[in-house]
């Protein structure tokens, strides 16, 4: 059984989370500049057994694609060209950033720490992945 990796893709930064080998627990991995994502994934896939990649699908409240959908679609094309055999799934990412921010508050992080947008992206990727795992069960 391989890991599942989730991507919370953004124009500037991308949050990444990954499961353990048994696909039980989602953990934040890192946040990197989006321009470095394909290179990062190439290296990560060469070292780790990743079975599936989950990519957040941003939607508006009415279910229609959000403004950032076009940017993510370009990344997906690039991803599929670079990793044609990698299984990829899309997951609704509505509210993950808000939930990530609330998680930071609930865990007692100080205001200065909560301003770390990279941490928000990593937590959002983790929430996205944990939701996927819960749904899969």
């Amino acid at each position: 059984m391989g890991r599942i990796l989730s991507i919370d893709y953004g124009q500037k930064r991308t949050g990444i989370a990954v499961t353990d080998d048994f696909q039980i627990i989602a953990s934040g991995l890192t946040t990197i500049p989006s321009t470095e994502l394909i290179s990062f994934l190439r290296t990560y896939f060469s070292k780790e057994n990743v079975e599936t990649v989950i990519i957040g699908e941003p939607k508006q409240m009415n279910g229609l694609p959000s403004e950032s959908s076009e940017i993510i679609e370009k990344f997906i094309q690039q991803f599929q060209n670079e990793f044609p055999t990698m299984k990829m799934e899309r997951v609704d990412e509505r509210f993950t950033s808000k939930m990530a921010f609330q998680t930071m508050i609930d865990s007692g992080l100080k205001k200065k720490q909560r301003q770390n947008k990279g941490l928000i992206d990593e937590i959002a990727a983790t929430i996205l992945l944990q939701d996927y795992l819960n749904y899969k069960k």
Side-chain angles (χ1 to χ4, degrees):
M1 188 178 271
R3 296 173 184 259
I4 301 172
L5 183 134
S6 74
I7 295 174
D8 181 38
Y9 188 83
Q11 195 164 0
K12 295 179 183 177
R13 289 174 315 280
T14 296
I16 302 171
V18 67
T19 65
D20 57 299
D21 289 329
F22 300 106
Q23 301 179 2
I24 298 171
I25 299 170
S27 302
L29 182 62
T30 189
T31 301
I32 60 168
S34 295
T35 56
E36 299 172 15
L37 182 56
I38 293 293
S39 176
F40 174 87
L41 293 173
R42 196 177 301 121
T43 302
Y44 191 81
F45 294 162
S46 72
K47 295 177 182 175
E48 298 290 341
N49 179 21
V50 176
E51 179 179 296
T52 305
V53 172
I54 306 302
I55 299 176
E57 186 172 19
K59 294 184 179 183
Q60 297 178 47
M61 291 298 292
N62 63 5
L64 294 173
S66 75
E67 299 168 6
S68 58
S69 292
E70 191 176 316
I71 295 162
I72 294 172
E73 290 303 322
K74 286 180 185 176
F75 164 71
I76 288 173
Q77 278 296 91
Q78 187 181 10
F79 178 87
Q80 290 174 327
N81 290 338
E82 187 71 34
F83 310 106
T85 61
M86 180 61 68
K87 180 180 174 190
M88 183 199 70
E89 294 189 40
R90 301 293 306 273
V91 176
D92 185 349
E93 68 173 33
R94 277 181 284 192
F95 308 116
T96 55
S97 293
K98 285 183 172 56
M99 290 168 61
F101 189 74
Q102 188 61 49
T103 299
M104 293 171 77
I105 291 170
D106 293 347
S107 65
L109 290 179
K110 304 245 184 279
K111 185 175 184 179
K112 184 90 171 153
Q113 295 168 307
R114 294 192 309 257
Q115 292 172 344
N116 179 349
K117 293 185 188 304
L119 183 56
I120 293 171
D121 294 336
E122 185 178 327
I123 294 170
T126 307
I127 291 169
L128 186 70
L129 184 53
Q130 192 62 55
D131 284 351
Y132 174 80
L133 291 174
N134 293 343
Y135 174 78
K136 204 173 125 179
K137 289 179 184 176

